[in-house]
Amino acid sequence: MRNRLLGLLLILLVFSQSILGQEKYTLSGTITDISSNETLIGVNILIPEIQSGTMTNEYGFYSITLPKGTYEIQISYLGFETISETINLNQNISKNYRLIESAESLDEIVIKDNVEKLNIKKPQMSVNALSISTIKNMPVVFGEVDVIKSITLLPGVTNAGEGSSGFNVRGGAADQNLILLDEAIIFNSSHLFGFFSVFNPDAIKDLKLYKGGIPAKYGGRVSSVLDIYQKEGNSNQFKMNGGIGLVSSRLLAEGPIKKEKASFLFGGRSSYVHLFSSLFDLDNVAYFYDLNTKLSYKLNENNSIFLSGYFGRDVFSIQDSFKNTYGNSVLNFRWNHLFSSKLFSNLSLIYSDYYYGLDLNFVGFEWESGIRNFNVKYDLKHYITNKFKLEYGLNSIYYKFNPGKINPNTPDSGINPFKLINKYAFENAVYLDAEHKLGNRLSLSYGARLSTFHRLGQDELNIYENDNPVIFNEELGIYEKAEPIGTESFNGNDVIESFANFEPRMAMAYQLTKNSSVKASYNRMSQYLHLLSNTNSPTPLDVWAPSGKYIKPQLLDQVALGYFRNFKDNQFSLEVETFYKTIENRIDYTDGANLIANNAIEQVILNGEARAYGLEVLLRKNEGRLKGWLSYTLSKSEQRTPGRTLIETGINNGKWYNTPYDKTHDISLTASYELNDKWRLNSNFVFQTGLPVTFPNGQYEYNGIIVPKFEARNSSRLPEYHRLDFSINYNPKPNSQKRFKGEWVFGVYNIYNRRNAVNIQFRENRTTGVNEALRLSLFGIVPSVSYNFNF
């Protein structure tokens, strides 16, 4: 018995020593810019001796758990001086760090060694981030700094040509991108029909574009996520900065309300070319304006609150006969709470509204439509161990859709007021995401999102025979609208249709060497909202519609595989990715579909499918006077809508056809060369395969009317698109100690005056009677000059 007790005591002693040997503590805190007290996103906290580390989250918080001991901690961030400090970790330590801008603060594209090594190890892939200083150095049309134009220079990202709104990612449509500004949904990211983006670069703090391997906390779109955070405001001192250009100007002010505790930010932009239209006897007007605001207050070490907002409007009018007004309005109240050194939370209450209005004076009525939502988000990040982290949360969004409302704008217009039926929906989701490091080489990210969507009651819903709103005319071989056999009414809380989808996500990274790795990812996503936009319709108009009885949610499956490598001490980096994705229930339109003032939109759409696949290459030069990247994308984007029965022909005879945004080749070369402290040269070169189009291939006469006959959908292409842009940044007093600092930017867009085709129209020459093609172009060579300042 005595021997047994001694043996038990020995086991307990060994076990207790093992536990003590594994005793761990947590180092946590926030990291800020010492000059502004602004929290910094993506700061690297490294422990070189054990090859471990972490990064600050979207709110500047970090947490790392290590065995008891003494460590050298390195804090590094782009454009800031690195901090090295020895920490004796014998208890949980809460420690905040303040970083000082380095001498190369204007050169934020420099990539430090440790930063790039962490990216090699992390399982996150198909993600691109650009610093605001890099974006500001890119030459763009009219010299106006543009976030959206900048990301289209990255692999897998493009747009539908000059003057088009939105952007396309990996062969997806513009409405398949989730665009977030301080977590609020932006439904239209463009000003002046795509010439400018709605994002004021002076107000932006961080920007990330997720093209694949999308974390489970994001949902509701099937192509990409563009996540943008505004600055919080300088809580140390008052500052202003802005710019004056040929087309628009901007001004941003920030400063403390209570030093180091509370701050404000207020920024505005506006174009003003329309103010001079009377000098040139022009009746047409086009302008935009927007406002960015933010209030931040640090209650204590564990609690901070934020109130941010955005308001923007575009106005376009033709004489007194036509006026178009549209824009976004968002408001977000956010509360950051730290439960412990390992558990961080964020609660957001968000309002978002998109308005679209038309004044059609020449026909005597006004039109307005839009979409509004109220969003509640609660996200938590749990730093369980240094090798295992969890993110989880929930999200609920209530939608109100206004498909359209018509009112007469003159007493004698003869137009009767008409309101399309409002639609309502409720979208919910819960998610769980894990980041797991297995050994020194393998890292995993895995999780899932469970989303539900409820189409709520409305005043009236059409009922069709066999629930089929679109019928096929066998004799003519065309699709036609089905006549409703009745209507059904619902109360506001009734559920017309419900959907639920399980969305698994997974990514992995395997480190081949200290400078190279391979990564793979898979994600399934669902999208319950649809942008009804048919440029081939008689009256193209964008209308958002929810999934329901006749419109099914889009479902994406995407896989990606990549190789990542750093060369020559990280002076160069290479990213190569290939992807394949399929989308179920991609809506398509019957020939001649009319979207405006259509109370039964289900009568002109069919559910089809889409697919896209491709190869992306990104080669960066990260250091030296010459910096930049070469981006190449080889891809294919197609869709099809086969017949629902053996008799039906489907759309385009049920065959695969190119989507309107398919581009086989997309090459971008971006370079920046620093001559000296005063002069910097910047350039972009872009080459893209021409966009798919549908041309007429014949005509026939019917009752004296010439009717064109068209080829298969999108079977032809516009000519190749290419251009070269160039700009020069001149800082007259780079070493001035004065608070006021200024910089001139001289630029030339499309320097060799390439007349890229936006569209090709066919018409009959009135003189010869012969049909002819007319190429339409927006821009030739466009010089620009702007002046940027801060004080």
Side-chain angles (χ1 to χ4, degrees):
M1 185 68 175
R2 181 180 177 182
N3 291 336
R4 288 182 180 179
L5 289 174
L6 289 174
L8 181 59
L9 289 172
L10 182 62
I11 292 173
L12 289 174
L13 179 61
V14 171
F15 181 73
S16 63
Q17 288 177 338
S18 175
I19 293 295
L20 289 173
Q22 294 297 316
E23 193 172 6
K24 295 183 177 182
Y25 296 104
T26 299
L27 173 67
S28 63
T30 58
I31 299 180
T32 58
D33 178 350
I34 194 170
S35 64
S36 65
N37 209 32
E38 181 101 21
T39 57
L40 300 174
I41 301 173
V43 178
N44 293 282
I45 300 92
L46 304 167
I47 300 90
E49 60 200 85
I50 60 173
Q51 293 293 303
S52 185
T54 188
M55 299 174 71
T56 56
N57 66 7
E58 296 88 345
Y59 314 103
F61 176 78
Y62 76 94
S63 176
I64 185 168
T65 300
L66 302 167
K68 178 181 178 180
T70 301
Y71 301 95
E72 180 189 353
I73 307 294
Q74 291 184 359
I75 314 293
S76 64
Y77 190 59
L78 303 181
F80 288 79
E81 294 183 3
T82 298
I83 295 177
S84 294
E85 184 179 19
T86 300
I87 296 288
N88 183 17
L89 198 62
N90 56 12
Q91 62 180 347
N92 291 335
I93 297 175
S94 176
K95 189 172 182 60
N96 300 328
Y97 290 94
R98 293 184 170 190
L99 301 188
I100 301 172
E101 285 187 273
S102 64
E104 302 91 14
S105 61
L106 295 178
D107 194 15
E108 295 180 22
I109 198 171
V110 173
I111 297 179
K112 303 297 182 183
D113 181 40
N114 289 327
V115 175
E116 199 61 37
K117 284 184 178 178
L118 270 182
N119 291 336
I120 290 292
K121 294 180 179 180
K122 290 179 70 66
Q124 186 69 65
M125 66 181 300
S126 307
V127 177
N128 292 115
L130 288 177
S131 70
I132 296 305
S133 63
T134 301
I135 293 173
K136 288 183 176 181
N137 285 331
M138 292 180 177
V140 291
V141 66
F142 300 133
E144 300 300 315
V145 176
D146 194 293
V147 170
I148 300 299
K149 293 290 191 301
S150 300
I151 65 174
T152 59
L153 298 173
L154 297 168
V157 189
T158 185
N159 62 17
E162 289 176 331
S164 64
S165 60
F167 57 97
N168 308 102
V169 177
R170 289 186 169 176
D175 71 309
Q176 294 173 337
N177 303 314
L178 178 63
I179 304 173
L180 302 173
L181 179 63
D182 273 353
E183 303 179 346
I185 301 173
I186 300 294
F187 287 96
N188 189 326
S189 62
S190 300
H191 280 312
L192 295 183
F193 306 102
F195 293 140
F196 309 100
S197 76
V198 300
F199 305 109
N200 183 344
D202 292 337
I204 293 176
K205 173 181 178 179
D206 185 72
L207 175 154
K208 283 188 178 67
L209 176 68
Y210 298 84
K211 301 178 294 186
I214 298 174
K217 68 177 180 179
Y218 299 109
R221 300 294 187 274
V222 294
S223 190
S224 73
V225 177
L226 178 60
D227 197 4
I228 298 177
Y229 283 88
Q230 293 187 125
K231 294 178 180 178
E232 295 165 7
N234 193 319
S235 63
N236 285 338
Q237 59 180 324
F238 178 79
K239 282 192 173 184
M240 295 185 72
N241 64 282
I244 302 171
L246 296 177
V247 176
S248 70
S249 291
R250 63 189 191 276
L251 182 67
L252 183 136
E254 56 181 323
I257 299 174
K258 184 177 181 181
K259 196 165 184 178
E260 297 191 356
K261 295 281 287 184
S263 64
F264 75 90
L265 178 145
F266 182 85
R269 287 190 305 169
S270 179
S271 62
Y272 39 69
V273 174
H274 66 286
L275 299 177
F276 307 100
S277 58
S278 59
L279 300 178
F280 302 98
D281 197 25
L282 297 175
D283 293 328
N284 301 341
V285 171
Y287 65 93
F288 74 87
Y289 60 92
D290 54 32
L291 301 172
N292 296 78
T293 60
K294 195 162 191 178
L295 299 174
S296 307
Y297 186 67
K298 187 175 182 180
L299 300 173
N300 51 46
E301 288 299 318
N302 295 331
N303 295 278
S304 297
I305 57 175
F306 309 87
L307 180 64
S308 61
Y310 168 84
F311 180 82
R313 281 293 182 266
D314 281 75
V315 178
F316 172 67
S317 65
I318 300 176
Q319 298 179 347
D320 294 327
S321 60
F322 173 89
K323 185 178 180 181
N324 183 199
T325 305
Y326 63 93
N328 300 277
S329 305
V330 301
L331 188 68
N332 181 12
F333 174 78
R334 201 170 76 232
W335 171 38
N336 288 171
H337 176 64
L338 187 62
F339 285 99
S340 69
S341 60
K342 292 187 176 184
L343 183 57
F344 180 92
S345 72
N346 175 70
L347 173 67
S348 296
L349 307 176
I350 307 167
Y351 167 82
S352 178
D353 175 75
Y354 175 65
Y355 171 83
Y356 188 95
L358 289 171
D359 288 349
L360 302 173
N361 294 325
F362 65 97
V363 290
F365 72 85
E366 300 172 345
W367 161 278
E368 63 177 36
S369 61
I371 177 173
R372 184 177 301 169
N373 73 70
F374 302 89
N375 186 355
V376 178
K377 289 175 75 269
Y378 193 43
D379 304 292
L380 299 100
K381 187 160 187 176
H382 203 157
Y383 301 81
I384 295 177
T385 69
N386 189 36
K387 295 185 177 182
F388 188 71
K389 303 178 182 68
L390 285 178
E391 285 191 72
Y392 44 91
L394 54 86
N395 186 198
S396 293
I397 309 175
Y398 175 79
Y399 296 99
K400 178 183 177 182
F401 301 83
N402 175 13
K405 180 180 180 181
I406 293 175
N407 282 315
N409 57 8
T410 60
D412 56 349
S413 67
I415 301 294
N416 294 321
F418 178 67
K419 175 72 175 71
L420 299 182
I421 297 172
N422 286 339
K423 298 176 176 65
Y424 306 89
F426 195 33
E427 182 176 355
N428 300 284
V430 294
Y431 73 89
L432 175 66
D433 228 345
E435 187 174 327
H436 196 174
K437 185 176 181 181
L438 300 173
N440 293 326
R441 292 181 178 266
L442 181 63
S443 296
L444 300 177
S445 174
Y446 50 88
R449 183 182 182 91
L450 177 61
S451 63
T452 63
F453 189 83
H454 306 285
R455 175 71 178 274
L456 302 180
Q458 63 184 56
D459 294 339
E460 192 175 273
L461 181 69
N462 287 336
I463 301 173
Y464 301 91
E465 185 176 353
N466 299 322
D467 284 338
N468 186 11
V470 182
I471 59 176
F472 184 71
N473 187 320
E474 296 182 35
E475 183 178 349
L476 299 178
I478 61 174
Y479 287 95
E480 298 178 336
K481 301 176 182 179
E483 289 294 328
I485 59 175
T487 59
E488 188 175 5
S489 297
F490 300 87
N491 294 321
N493 295 325
D494 291 340
V495 177
I496 301 175
E497 195 80 12
S498 291
F499 304 95
N501 286 287
F502 180 69
E503 307 172 26
R505 319 282 173 91
M506 187 171 184
M508 61 80 65
Y510 184 78
Q511 195 169 358
L512 301 173
T513 67
K514 70 175 184 177
N515 290 319
S516 66
S517 68
V518 291
K519 299 184 183 184
S521 68
Y522 164 78
N523 59 277
R524 181 173 177 84
M525 302 183 73
S526 54
Q527 178 171 337
Y528 301 101
L529 306 188
H530 311 264
L531 179 62
L532 306 178
S533 177
N534 184 9
T535 56
N536 296 318
S537 67
T539 51
L541 178 68
D542 293 346
V543 177
W544 287 89
S547 296
K549 189 172 183 179
Y550 304 113
I551 305 177
K552 305 305 178 186
Q554 300 178 71
L555 302 175
L556 164 87
D557 288 286
Q558 177 175 230
V559 293
L561 179 66
Y563 174 74
F564 303 82
R565 183 179 177 88
N566 297 323
F567 300 92
K568 293 188 175 181
D569 255 351
N570 301 317
Q571 292 184 40
F572 297 88
S573 60
L574 174 68
E575 302 175 20
V576 181
E577 291 191 39
T578 182
F579 68 91
Y580 182 86
K581 66 182 184 181
T582 61
I583 299 175
E584 301 175 32
N585 302 324
R586 179 60 183 165
I587 61 173
D588 209 342
Y589 306 95
T590 60
D591 292 330
N594 187 8
L595 304 182
I596 191 170
N598 191 341
N599 219 1
I601 204 73
E602 68 274 2
Q603 295 176 338
V604 295
I605 60 176
L606 294 170
N607 289 315
E609 59 182 326
R611 67 184 181 189
Y613 47 92
L615 174 72
E616 300 170 355
V617 180
L618 180 63
L619 177 63
R620 287 182 181 266
K621 186 177 186 301
N622 303 312
E623 298 180 7
R625 287 189 172 185
L626 176 65
K627 306 178 188 68
W629 66 81
L630 173 65
S631 163
Y632 173 66
T633 306
L634 173 67
S635 64
K636 188 68 176 176
S637 175
E638 302 173 299
Q639 69 181 80
R640 72 170 177 178
T641 305
R644 297 167 296 183
T645 66
L646 295 176
I647 299 174
E648 292 188 12
T649 59
I651 303 296
N652 197 53
N653 292 318
K655 298 178 181 178
W656 288 101
Y657 67 91
N658 297 323
T659 61
Y661 26 86
D662 172 65
K663 294 181 181 179
T664 308
H665 302 284
D666 187 353
I667 303 173
S668 299
L669 177 62
T670 300
S672 177
Y673 183 75
E674 187 177 358
L675 287 172
N676 50 48
D677 290 343
K678 292 186 177 182
W679 296 93
R680 182 194 301 272
L681 309 179
N682 311 288
S683 66
N684 300 326
F685 174 74
V686 178
F687 175 90
Q688 298 171 346
T689 302
L691 288 169
V693 288
T694 306
F695 288 148
N697 59 1
Q699 63 183 38
Y700 61 91
E701 185 175 337
Y702 179 77
N703 290 336
I705 300 175
I706 301 298
V707 181
K709 181 178 179 295
F710 289 88
E711 61 187 0
R713 283 197 184 185
N714 293 341
S715 56
S716 295
R717 288 186 181 271
L718 295 174
E720 290 82 4
Y721 178 99
H722 55 86
R723 73 171 200 275
L724 174 66
D725 311 326
F726 182 76
S727 70
I728 300 175
N729 292 46
Y730 172 60
N731 186 352
K733 298 179 180 179
N735 301 314
S736 173
Q737 299 301 312
K738 295 181 179 180
R739 286 198 60 183
F740 186 92
K741 296 180 180 180
E743 179 187 53
W744 290 93
V745 182
F746 306 93
V748 181
Y749 178 89
N750 195 2
I751 197 168
Y752 53 81
N753 200 31
R754 165 75 175 180
R755 306 297 295 186
N756 290 297
V758 175
N759 193 10
I760 293 181
Q761 295 182 352
F762 293 84
R763 67 182 184 184
E764 181 182 344
N765 189 302
R766 294 184 179 182
T767 304
T768 64
V770 177
N771 290 337
E772 61 184 11
L774 177 66
R775 174 191 284 202
L776 300 179
S777 301
L778 284 180
F779 296 119
I781 184 171
V782 182
S784 64
V785 59
S786 59
Y787 180 72
N788 300 320
F789 60 88
N790 64 80
F791 59 90

